[in-house]
Amino acid sequence: MTPTTTTDRQELRSHGPTLGRLVGDTDAFLEHWEHAPAVAEASADVARAFPLDRAFSLLGTPGLPVSCFRLLRDGAPVPQQEYSAARERPGPGREPFADGAALLRAYEDGATIIFEEVRLLVPEVAALASGLEEDLGFGIYCAAFLTPAGNSGARPHYDLASGLLCQIHGSKVWSVGDPSERWPATPCGDARPEFDPVLETVLRPGQTLYIPRGHPHAGAATDEPSLHLSFAIKPRTWRDVLQSYIRLGGTPEPLRELLPLDHAGRSPEELAAEAVDRLRAVLRSPAE
């Protein structure tokens, strides 16, 4: 595990007001960064960014594209055709509208409604997401999850992005396990990972659950509707840095040279080590 540095903590103390609103004590939060789930206390104003009544009012807002929503029933996706309404003048590239009445029927039938474009639709949520981007230096994807009482949303799964889940209304039981592979690069897909929980909690309004990327998890609403905001931290890794350097900076001469004639008999690890040595030499040499 790579420890969080003092510099990281100082940066978040001086430039992290939004993160502090979501997790309270940023020092305590950083002890879990990238390696362990945690429950934190959020500021009271976070819940006011997207209260339950506003979520229901969005469902009935006319003219919203159907892609603003995604539905899950018993963990499986609900086809868009079940909650879309055709435009009066359909045509190529003209997306159907969301059918508010159909969305409510699906919800009453046990479907979880995911507000995919909540950042574009609710300025207060957009401000939180933008502030978090400024604090962390990573892109943020924001969605809201409205789950009927006694129902679950997604099946057990892991995500490729770490997430901050801020409970707005109701409560949700969460189980989070350790990853089978640390920081995976392959999506979970339709797999349902089995795991022994390392954290089990009932998340209540005003609390935030941090789930590092790759950690399997599952959640279910208790005896009342659950609404939470999810802030997914888009990962940018060292591999991304190297790929961007080569793609955007041009390929330096030492990396354009053909592999040696005996490369077929050498291991991938040996070839990678030599490639790293060549890249290191390029970075150390003065710019031409």
Side-chain angles (χ1 to χ4, degrees):
M1 179 185 72
T2 303
T4 305
T5 66
T6 302
T7 301
D8 290 333
R9 294 191 177 94
Q10 289 172 343
E11 285 296 311
L12 288 171
R13 274 199 295 267
S14 58
H15 302 294
T18 301
L19 180 64
R21 290 166 64 193
L22 298 182
V23 303
D25 186 342
T26 55
D27 275 346
F29 168 73
L30 283 173
E31 295 297 328
H32 297 81
W33 179 253
E34 280 281 86
H35 75 273
V39 177
E41 299 295 326
S43 301
D45 65 323
V46 173
R48 293 194 289 270
F50 191 57
L52 186 65
D53 57 353
R54 193 161 188 183
F56 278 108
S57 70
L58 269 185
L59 297 181
T61 301
L64 291 180
V66 71
S67 61
C68 286
F69 304 96
R70 181 163 57 93
L71 272 61
L72 298 173
R73 184 183 292 118
D74 297 326
V78 176
Q80 276 192 347
Q81 293 85 345
E82 292 191 21
Y83 53 94
S84 63
R87 292 175 177 265
E88 292 184 10
R89 296 183 60 188
R94 294 175 64 82
E95 185 181 345
F97 292 128
D99 184 333
L103 287 170
L104 285 173
R105 286 195 300 269
Y107 170 80
E108 292 167 356
D109 194 35
T112 288
I113 298 177
I114 304 172
F115 298 77
E116 294 276 26
E117 304 293 348
V118 65
R119 182 173 180 174
L120 300 179
L121 300 172
V122 182
E124 295 86 348
V125 174
L128 285 172
S130 297
L132 197 56
E133 286 177 334
E134 183 176 346
D135 293 348
L136 297 178
F138 295 97
I140 297 294
Y141 165 70
C142 186
F145 289 70
L146 176 61
T147 302
N151 287 269
S152 59
R155 298 166 174 163
H157 67 287
Y158 65 79
D159 296 306
L160 298 185
S162 299
L164 290 167
L165 280 54
C166 302
Q167 192 70 24
I168 303 298
H169 180 90
S171 57
K172 208 164 195 177
V173 178
W174 287 98
S175 297
V176 185
D178 278 330
S180 57
E181 177 189 13
R182 192 180 184 194
W183 306 331
T186 304
C188 186
D190 294 328
R192 297 191 188 187
E194 297 182 359
F195 61 92
D196 294 322
V198 296
L199 185 151
E200 293 181 290
T201 188
V202 178
L203 201 68
R204 304 186 187 281
Q207 293 183 312
T208 296
L209 173 62
Y210 171 64
I211 304 178
R213 55 197 172 111
H215 285 244
H217 55 276
T222 58
D223 56 358
E224 58 182 326
S226 168
L227 175 66
H228 75 262
L229 282 170
S230 172
F231 297 91
I233 304 165
K234 299 178 183 178
R236 187 164 186 256
T237 65
W238 291 110
R239 183 181 67 176
D240 298 326
V241 171
L242 292 174
Q243 290 174 336
S244 295
Y245 173 78
I246 293 174
R247 184 176 66 252
L248 301 177
T251 306
E253 182 179 302
L255 300 183
R256 298 200 303 268
E257 184 178 354
L258 284 177
L259 295 177
L261 292 176
D262 66 345
H263 71 273
R266 298 167 67 176
S267 69
E269 292 80 10
E270 185 180 358
L271 292 172
E274 183 169 336
V276 169
D277 288 341
R278 286 169 172 263
L279 180 59
R280 185 179 291 116
V282 169
L283 294 176
R284 287 176 176 170
S285 65
E288 297 180 358

